[in-house]
Amino acid sequence: MAYDLELAERIRALVAAETGVDEKRMFGGLAFLVNGNMSVAASGQGGLLVRVDPADAGPLIDDKLVAPMVMGGREMTGWLFVDLAAVAADEDLAVWVNRGVGFAKSLPAKKAKR
């Protein structure tokens, strides 16, 4: 399954004013990187992937609309899978995107690979 083009466009609109944002196709989805750090992605499985501080992840998980991201059978610490139903409203998507962008901005910038 390809990533949701409409979701990617909605994310793009939300991060347009941010500096240091790049897009990169990864894992069947479209990731939005801030200063080289992944922040959010339109997932190839549908839905949204959001990077959060691992210490803040627990209370955000409800195992219905928000679950830990699992890749290759392994839970990815600090990454959440957010179902499309949880981001249907623009305001809800903005909360999640801001959460991911905010955390990515708190990380040291990564140098571009040559």
Side-chain angles (χ1 to χ4, degrees), residues 46-48 64-67 81-88:
L48 181 71
K64 294 176 188 160
L65 296 176
V66 181
F81 176 82
V82 181
D83 191 273
L84 276 176
V87 294

Side-chain angles (χ1 to χ4, degrees), residues 76-100:
M76 304 301 290
T77 305
W79 279 95
L80 301 176
F81 176 82
V82 181
D83 191 273
L84 276 176
V87 294
D90 289 340
E91 309 81 50
D92 295 330
L93 178 61
V95 168
W96 286 104
V97 169
N98 289 337
R99 189 173 277 142

Side-chain angles (χ1 to χ4, degrees), residues 2-108:
Y3 65 88
D4 184 323
L5 296 173
E6 180 183 338
L7 177 61
E9 189 57 39
R10 292 172 61 210
I11 297 168
R12 190 176 289 120
L14 290 168
V15 300
E18 295 289 338
T19 57
V21 175
D22 293 305
E23 297 178 21
K24 186 173 184 180
R25 290 193 173 137
M26 303 176 81
F27 313 116
L30 183 65
F32 293 83
L33 292 82
V34 177
N35 299 323
N37 294 294
M38 287 181 62
S39 61
V40 296
S43 172
Q45 280 78 46
L48 181 71
L49 301 178
V50 182
R51 189 170 188 182
V52 298
D53 185 327
D56 297 337
L60 299 171
I61 297 169
D62 66 9
D63 290 322
K64 294 176 188 160
L65 296 176
V66 181
M69 179 181 139
V70 176
M71 183 179 249
R74 192 174 131 230
E75 190 173 303
M76 304 301 290
T77 305
W79 279 95
L80 301 176
F81 176 82
V82 181
D83 191 273
L84 276 176
V87 294
D90 289 340
E91 309 81 50
D92 295 330
L93 178 61
V95 168
W96 286 104
V97 169
N98 289 337
R99 189 173 277 142
V101 168
F103 182 65
K105 286 168 76 173
S106 75
L107 300 171

